[in-house]
Amino acid sequence: MHFQYLLQLGDNALILSQRLGEWCGHGPVLEQDIAMTNIALDLLGQARMLLTHAGELEGKGRSEDTLAYFRDAHQFHNALLVEYPNTDWAYTIARQFFFDAFAFYNYQALLQSRDERLAAIAEKSLKETTYHLRYSSEWMVRLGDGTETSHQKMQAAVDALWMFTGELTTPSEADRLMAEAGIAPDLSKIKPLWEAKVNAILEEATLTKPDNNWMQSGGKEGRHTEYLGYMLAEMQHLQRTYPGNEW
């Protein structure tokens, strides 16, 4: 379960990085195009550290590249939220904010992990995630409390993505076992922190918190939306076609 827990963290970072990378060359303005690309690279760096750690812990010779490029969709353990399509800028920002708020408190808690290597990864990642959360929070407020059109688009994105947020703080078996072992945080303690941050930003952004409490789940156990398969087909195409290829 230690291996699967590291995959959960690493796959979240890898898949969200791939999603944000789709904005490269397509951002609404040059500054935001570059910002998305930088955040994508930060997440890719986190994914590399986490998947390398996972592969070495597994002891079967699988590297970060092997785990990224030679697993099928059902072998990925990311939350469903991070694989949701960019759709438009409002969806991208809402998805990023919901995830950043979780990652920030989760990495803070992981500083106390009994897995010293994971704690060190969390320390480095927390610095980046602090910036990511500030960036996505500011955009939530700017769009939500902006024009009538930007408010409508931001509210539509929040409403559509809300049902994917519950999985972030709903423990999987790996979450539960690793929390008992002192390796992962107790997600029941992360949830109120995440809710408080989300509520505060939604209020400042003049956005309405959805009252739908039904939540999608399954990503951590390998049950994904149809979006992940298309994403992996593109991401893995080169390595699947030319295994071992290097730059």
Side-chain angles (χ1 to χ4, degrees):
M1 281 298 165
H2 195 166
F3 171 68
Q4 182 172 326
Y5 178 71
L6 292 172
L7 287 186
Q8 285 182 193
L9 299 177
D11 289 347
N12 277 341
L14 177 66
I15 298 304
L16 187 53
S17 170
Q18 182 72 10
R19 273 289 181 237
L20 295 181
E22 294 172 4
W23 275 110
C24 185
H26 301 279
V29 295
L30 182 59
E31 182 179 1
Q32 306 320 322
D33 189 310
I34 294 172
M36 282 293 107
T37 305
N38 282 333
I39 294 173
L41 289 173
D42 287 343
L43 290 168
L44 185 60
Q46 294 172 20
R48 292 186 63 188
M49 290 187 291
L50 290 161
L51 293 181
T52 295
H53 184 24
E56 292 176 0
L57 183 72
E58 183 191 38
K60 295 183 179 179
R62 291 203 282 182
S63 67
E64 55 182 274
D65 289 333
T66 308
L67 290 170
Y69 295 127
F70 294 97
R71 281 183 294 153
D72 295 326
H74 71 276
Q75 296 170 312
F76 276 74
H77 296 278
N78 56 277
L80 299 176
L81 176 70
V82 300
E83 65 197 44
Y84 200 90
N86 292 326
T87 308
D88 64 21
W89 184 248
Y91 275 74
T92 300
I93 291 300
R95 184 189 61 206
Q96 192 65 33
F97 168 67
F98 289 144
F99 178 78
D100 289 341
F102 165 74
F104 176 79
Y105 295 114
N106 199 50
Y107 279 135
Q108 270 193 339
L110 281 172
L111 296 177
Q112 307 305 318
S113 174
R114 293 180 63 182
D115 179 342
E116 294 181 358
R117 186 166 173 184
L118 179 56
I121 294 172
E123 183 176 10
K124 182 179 187 306
S125 302
L126 182 59
K127 296 176 183 176
E128 299 167 344
T129 302
T130 300
Y131 162 75
H132 300 168
L133 179 58
R134 184 168 65 242
Y135 177 86
S136 57
S137 297
E138 289 174 353
W139 268 102
M140 288 286 290
V141 174
R142 185 179 303 179
L143 294 176
D145 194 25
T147 66
E148 181 178 349
T149 298
S150 72
H151 178 86
Q152 290 175 350
K153 288 191 171 185
M154 202 70 244
Q155 186 65 59
V158 168
D159 291 345
L161 294 174
W162 186 252
M163 64 177 171
F164 297 104
T165 61
E167 187 179 25
L168 295 172
T169 54
T170 300
S172 64
E173 184 179 5
D175 287 317
R176 286 192 290 270
L177 291 176
M178 290 303 98
E180 291 173 5
I183 291 172
D186 181 349
L187 289 183
S188 69
K189 296 180 179 177
I190 301 293
K191 186 175 182 178
L193 299 173
W194 180 89
E195 289 178 336
K197 180 66 176 179
V198 168
N199 289 341
I201 293 299
L202 289 179
E203 182 178 358
E204 187 176 354
T206 70
L207 295 167
T208 302
K209 178 182 175 181
D211 56 10
N212 176 21
N213 292 321
W214 183 83
M215 294 291 167
Q216 290 273 10
S217 63
K220 292 180 182 180
E221 285 77 29
R223 301 189 303 276
H224 296 278
T225 68
E226 68 272 23
Y227 305 125
L228 184 63
Y230 290 107
M231 180 190 291
L232 293 181
E234 181 176 358
M235 188 182 84
Q236 297 178 336
H237 171 72
L238 192 61
Q239 277 295 327
R240 294 271 191 177
T241 306
Y242 304 102
N245 202 24
E246 296 181 357
W247 290 99

